[in-house]
Amino acid sequence: MLTFELMKEHEQVVFCQDPHSGLKAIIAIHNTTLGPALGGCRMLPYKNEEEALVDVLRLAKGMTYKCAAADVDFGGGKAVIIGDPLKDKSPELFRAFGQFVHSLNGRFYTGTDMGTTPDDFVHAYKETDYIVGLPEAYGGHGDSSIPTALGVVQGLKAVCQFLWGTEDLSQRIFAIQGLGKVGFKVAEHLLKIGAQVVVTDISEEVTALLREKAQDLPGTMEVVAGDDIYAVQADIFVPCAIGGIINDTTIEQLKVKAVCGAANNQLLEDRHGQILHEKSILYAPDYIVNAGGLIQVSDELYGPNKERVMQKTKAIYDTLFQIFKNSEKKAFSTVSAANQFVEERLQKRARFNSFYTHQQRPKWKVRR
Ligand SMILES: NC(=O)C1=CN([C@@H]2O[C@H](COP(=O)(O)OP(=O)(O)OC[C@H]3O[C@@H](n4cnc5c(N)ncnc54)[C@H](O)[C@@H]3O)[C@@H](O)[C@H]2O)C=CC1
Ligand SMILES: O=C(O)CCC(=O)C(=O)O
């Protein structure tokens, strides 16, 4: 398919190449109605360019919805670097990436996502100020996966309250896919409060590390291999790795009452949200649940304030609960309820939008 056809909902796509460092990256800006685009940068060994392009376009759109739902005055954008994070990283690669980000002159801010860490962006920050999620030593808030994990726990509580009339997570069974920066923290929290977790990760190292920690914690832990996670008999499926994992094949296997996790773009297509609804599996829309990182990194641009970030992240509970209630009242899926809430907010703001505002960070005192 042609690029313009693929990006028909997006404002801008930038292909970035630097032969010296080996950088091959794509930046996608979906919508800047609410302000300049903001979104992390993922590094993955994509099979081919089309896979990378499709991923970045979907992720950038998700950020528009996430920013609007979290009431953050930024638009939706995202970046992907094509490469293996275990082999292909170098300071020069991230500096080259920083130069491309700078060339957008404030239309796009970026930080970490799958496969990248705050330390990688210290190199990019040497070339541009349009970086978020920096380590505290560099004036940032540090690891944004901490509030993301907190937001997921808030989401899980809202699910439990809605389905079982109690926020208590300790009596539940959770099937967690992915024990990376976010999934590991969520699993550890659940083990600390005595819950049962069934986990999977393609890295044996991280499952071994969690097993070691679990020995001293009241909860119980079981490890399953790869795709077996979809068929686990649990209360809630918690996707914390890749996207597209709720699809025609996996939905048939699910034995849970709800899906609520950190992964971006969990539904392969929006219609899979409708199928979950018809099967009475409560779906917590990903871009509502996983907004904690966004809340922290956008707040960072105005001077770090951990208390403010925690308050805004805890509000994920209320937003999600309201969406569940709207979905119940109107008898449509939670995806439709969430999208409607966001699209109304975007429409209301659209009349303030202009190309000038795309590069202007909204109000408050700014870091630069
Ligand atoms: N880090 C953050 O603050 C945020 C992350 N997210 C999303 O949450 C998800 C996880 O992000 P991070 O924890 O930061 O990434 P990460 O790169 O730190 O961890 C991902 C983990 O998933 C594992 N994994 C990859 N493919 C897998 C598979 N097929 N089955 C099982 N495990 C698999 C990896 O081995 C790794 O341990 C991603 O979809 C990301 O876009 C969303 C919002 C914010
Ligand atoms: O966590 C970040 O660094 C930015 C936010 C983001 O990219 C995301 O929420 O997916």
Side-chain angles (χ1 to χ4, degrees):
M1 201 185 272
L2 294 172
T3 306
F4 273 113
E5 180 57 23
L6 279 174
M7 62 170 282
K8 59 176 185 270
E9 292 181 52
H10 293 67
E11 287 178 16
Q12 189 176 10
V13 175
V14 185
F15 288 82
C16 315
Q17 175 155 250
D18 173 49
H20 303 288
S21 62
L23 175 78
K24 280 192 166 115
I26 311 174
I27 298 170
I29 296 180
H30 175 255
N31 181 304
T32 54
T33 299
L34 296 181
L38 172 59
C41 171
R42 181 173 276 199
M43 183 167 184
L44 281 186
Y46 290 101
K47 285 202 275 304
N48 52 50
E49 285 161 31
E50 189 176 342
E51 191 184 60
L53 178 61
V54 169
D55 200 31
V56 76
L57 292 172
R58 273 167 56 80
L59 289 163
K61 182 175 177 185
M63 289 308 297
T64 299
Y65 281 63
K66 197 181 305 193
C67 289
D71 201 14
V72 164
D73 290 332
F74 286 89
K78 205 90 178 182
V80 294
I81 295 178
I82 302 172
D84 185 338
L86 298 176
K87 290 195 233 139
D88 300 330
K89 281 185 182 178
S90 68
E92 293 69 35
L93 182 124
F94 281 94
R95 286 188 79 148
F97 178 66
Q99 289 186 349
F100 281 107
V101 172
H102 200 69
S103 73
L104 289 167
N105 201 26
R107 262 174 70 68
F108 176 62
Y109 289 75
T110 194
T112 61
D113 193 77
M114 268 181 98
T116 59
T117 66
D119 288 334
D120 296 331
F121 288 94
V122 170
H123 304 298
Y125 189 48
K126 289 182 180 162
E127 305 290 343
T128 180
D129 271 339
Y130 304 119
I131 298 293
V132 290
L134 285 164
E136 290 182 65
Y138 289 84
H141 270 302
D143 187 354
S144 59
S145 66
I146 297 169
T148 304
L150 172 70
V152 173
V153 171
Q154 292 302 114
L156 294 173
K157 286 184 180 172
V159 167
C160 285
Q161 181 66 40
F162 189 76
L163 287 181
W164 298 294
T166 169
E167 286 179 16
D168 183 14
L169 305 179
S170 68
Q171 303 305 310
R172 302 280 154 209
I173 308 173
F174 301 88
I176 306 176
Q177 182 182 47
L179 295 174
K181 295 189 293 292
V182 182
F184 196 94
K185 294 179 184 75
V186 173
E188 200 180 355
H189 173 83
L190 294 170
L191 287 167
K192 276 186 186 156
I193 59 165
Q196 286 184 55
V197 300
V198 183
V199 300
T200 191
D201 196 294
I202 48 173
S203 152
E204 284 177 17
E205 214 174 297
V206 289
T207 49
L209 189 62
L210 188 68
R211 200 186 282 287
E212 204 181 302
K213 294 218 172 204
Q215 280 171 3
D216 303 322
L217 298 172
T220 59
M221 168 190 167
E222 186 192 332
V223 180
V224 294
D227 289 353
D228 291 352
I229 197 75
Y230 302 116
V232 167
Q233 187 85 48
D235 293 306
I236 307 181
F237 174 44
V238 189
C240 292
I242 46 170
I245 38 74
I246 303 293
N247 53 49
D248 291 336
T249 313
T250 59
I251 283 182
E252 290 306 315
Q253 301 170 50
L254 293 179
K255 295 189 183 64
V256 290
K257 288 276 175 286
V259 176
C260 174
N264 276 309
N265 297 337
Q266 291 166 29
L267 305 175
L268 186 61
E269 295 168 38
D270 272 4
R271 71 181 174 84
H272 294 112
Q274 178 60 28
I275 300 175
L276 287 177
H277 178 69
E278 283 159 14
K279 286 177 150 283
S280 296
I281 298 175
L282 183 67
Y283 175 65
D286 46 14
Y287 63 78
I288 309 277
V289 174
N290 68 17
L294 166 71
I295 289 168
Q296 171 158 305
V297 299
S298 56
D299 191 86
E300 179 178 306
L301 293 165
Y302 302 105
N305 183 321
K306 283 197 193 291
E307 186 49 39
R308 190 167 58 214
V309 170
M310 287 304 129
Q311 270 176 24
K312 287 171 112 181
T313 305
K314 283 185 178 159
I316 287 173
Y317 179 104
D318 298 320
T319 308
L320 197 56
F321 203 78
Q322 193 54 49
I323 280 161
F324 291 158
K325 286 212 295 210
N326 287 350
S327 146
E328 190 177 49
K329 195 163 122 201
K330 297 184 182 165
F332 59 18
S333 73
T334 52
V335 177
S336 302
N339 287 354
Q340 190 184 64
F341 162 67
V342 159
E343 282 156 14
E344 278 171 13
R345 197 167 255 186
L346 283 170
Q347 264 169 25
K348 280 186 201 145
R349 291 294 308 168
R351 70 188 179 87
F352 297 101
N353 192 21
S354 69
F355 198 81
Y356 178 69
T357 58
H358 295 186
Q359 281 157 287
Q360 283 296 306
R361 227 193 278 151
K363 58 183 186 295
W364 298 15
K365 198 154 76 77
V366 295
R367 189 176 63 190
R368 293 185 68 209

